[in-house]
Amino acid sequence: MYCALLLGVALPVQAITFQTRMEEVEWTVEGDQFECRMAQPVSGYGQAVFVRRAGERPVFQLEATSNLMQPGQAQLFNDPPPWRHNMRASVLGAALVEDGPVALRASQQQAGQMLAGLASGMHPTIQRAAWASAVESVRVVVSSVGYQQAWTEFQTCAGGLLPLNFDQVSRSVVSFASGGTRLTDEAKALLDTALVYIKADEDIGAIQLDGHSDNLGDRLTNRELSRKRALAVRDYLMEQGVKEDLFTMRFHGESYPVATNASNSGRQQNRRVTLRLEKN
């Protein structure tokens, strides 16, 4: 009843709680240069996992052996342990419960609040109506026991992550000066960061480069500009050791603007080469 008042919603009166006994709580930390995971098994339910991908802040996900929660919005909060009478629960908002092995994913902000709660001895809790009965809800509780050691190991793992992940590298956009085909220092710095990932991931099977221009000048000239820009990016990456046979290039000229060509800032956005990675 206290939680229902706290959350400001009508939660079922009875709750099935899944929580590992204090003396049995254990954390595992594993990862590589692409991703780090800090997980706690939750007895009878599955496991609670904090995941930090390269180039991103941690997120939280609840992995269910058998998902007992109904699909829909679950309530998230940091709950004090029974012996911490001086602490009050803190509402973290809602996250969507879905079918599948990953029953729930919380945002980076919510994950950060959960981690802060764990650091202060709180227990992150997820609550949602149960499949089994209309008068029951399911509560999954993550214990703070042993968290500090796990967090230290998680931070050590995070220190070895690459600066970017696959999705971020695949959204790389290299900009050019008006009428220019030479890479700026800023463009080289961007490509150097992408190179760290490209060289680390052995599964990269193709790199697609798409050259573009603004609409100043005639179409033939702009198509040639877009070709030279894509070649400049390819040549720079090859100079750093990327194999030529990985590249596919296309030259579009002014055909696919991403912003208006009626302003300087819009034209600047359109003078670009986009880089996309594909895995084997």
Side-chain angles (χ1 to χ4, degrees), residues 12 16 18 45 64 66-72 97-100 103 128-139:
I16 305 170
F18 293 89
Y45 197 88
S66 178
N67 187 12
L68 303 179
M69 295 180 182
Q70 291 184 18
V97 174
E98 301 178 292
D99 289 331
R128 172 65 184 159
W131 276 110
S133 170
V135 297
E136 291 184 335
S137 64
V138 172
R139 287 167 53 91

Side-chain angles (χ1 to χ4, degrees), residues 162-200:
L162 296 170
L164 297 175
N165 59 49
F166 178 85
D167 295 331
Q168 292 169 331
V169 174
S170 290
R171 295 194 295 266
S172 296
V173 178
V174 182
S175 298
F176 290 83
S178 180
T181 60
R182 298 184 64 178
L183 296 175
T184 64
D185 290 341
E186 183 179 356
K188 290 179 181 178
L190 173 66
L191 291 174
D192 287 342
T193 303
L195 271 164
V196 176
Y197 184 91
I198 293 169
K199 291 182 176 180

Side-chain angles (χ1 to χ4, degrees), residues 47-48 182 191 209 213 263 272:
Q47 66 174 354
R182 298 184 64 178
L191 291 174
L209 302 176
S213 74
S263 67
R272 70 199 190 278

Side-chain angles (χ1 to χ4, degrees), residues 197-219:
Y197 184 91
I198 293 169
K199 291 182 176 180
D201 192 342
E202 297 179 353
D203 292 332
I204 299 299
I207 302 172
Q208 182 169 305
L209 302 176
D210 286 270
H212 301 269
S213 74
D214 58 30
N215 70 344
L216 296 181
D218 62 77
R219 289 182 177 273

Side-chain angles (χ1 to χ4, degrees), residues 6-277:
L6 172 72
L7 296 172
V9 294
L11 294 176
V13 175
Q14 301 178 13
I16 305 170
T17 299
F18 293 89
Q19 180 177 7
T20 303
R21 293 171 60 90
M22 186 170 66
E23 63 273 17
E24 297 176 355
V25 172
E26 62 177 358
W27 292 90
T28 59
V29 177
E30 60 184 8
D32 51 27
Q33 57 192 330
F34 304 109
E35 180 181 278
C36 296
R37 292 169 58 92
M38 179 173 63
Q40 179 185 127
V42 179
S43 296
Y45 197 88
Q47 66 174 354
V49 188
F50 292 92
V51 182
R52 182 167 182 178
R53 297 179 68 201
E56 295 182 359
R57 294 162 53 197
V59 296
F60 172 83
Q61 59 189 40
L62 181 62
E63 300 176 355
T65 304
S66 178
N67 187 12
L68 303 179
M69 295 180 182
Q70 291 184 18
Q73 294 293 326
Q75 299 297 323
L76 309 180
F77 51 96
N78 282 333
D79 206 17
W83 59 88
R84 302 288 292 272
H85 302 292
N86 61 325
M87 300 178 69
R88 299 185 62 183
S90 174
V91 180
L92 307 182
L96 185 64
V97 174
E98 301 178 292
D99 289 331
V102 179
L104 176 143
R105 291 181 173 88
S107 68
Q108 292 180 354
Q109 179 180 359
Q110 290 169 332
Q113 292 172 316
M114 288 179 166
L115 290 168
L118 286 165
S120 62
M122 302 284 272
H123 292 172
T125 302
I126 302 97
Q127 183 157 335
R128 172 65 184 159
W131 276 110
S133 170
V135 297
E136 291 184 335
S137 64
V138 172
R139 287 167 53 91
V140 176
V141 180
V142 184
S143 175
S144 62
V145 173
Y147 168 74
Q148 292 299 339
Q149 178 61 36
W151 173 249
T152 299
E153 295 176 13
F154 190 57
Q155 287 293 84
T156 299
C157 179
L161 289 171
L162 296 170
L164 297 175
N165 59 49
F166 178 85
D167 295 331
Q168 292 169 331
V169 174
S170 290
R171 295 194 295 266
S172 296
V173 178
V174 182
S175 298
F176 290 83
S178 180
T181 60
R182 298 184 64 178
L183 296 175
T184 64
D185 290 341
E186 183 179 356
K188 290 179 181 178
L190 173 66
L191 291 174
D192 287 342
T193 303
L195 271 164
V196 176
Y197 184 91
I198 293 169
K199 291 182 176 180
D201 192 342
E202 297 179 353
D203 292 332
I204 299 299
I207 302 172
Q208 182 169 305
L209 302 176
D210 286 270
H212 301 269
S213 74
D214 58 30
N215 70 344
L216 296 181
D218 62 77
R219 289 182 177 273
L220 288 178
T221 299
N222 288 336
R223 188 176 187 282
E224 180 63 11
L225 276 174
S226 68
R227 185 184 75 88
K228 289 182 177 179
R229 288 167 179 166
L231 287 172
V233 173
R234 185 205 65 176
D235 291 347
Y236 183 81
L237 294 175
M238 286 176 57
E239 289 171 4
Q240 310 306 315
V242 180
K243 296 180 180 178
E244 183 176 5
D245 60 5
L246 288 177
F247 291 98
T248 300
M249 293 189 295
R250 299 185 299 189
F251 324 118
H252 305 286
E254 61 192 69
S255 298
Y256 300 104
V258 293
T260 177
N261 278 303
S263 67
N264 288 333
S265 61
R267 289 191 293 272
Q268 183 177 18
Q269 293 180 61
N270 292 331
R271 299 189 298 266
R272 70 199 190 278
V273 171
T274 60
L275 182 152
R276 189 178 72 187
L277 304 181

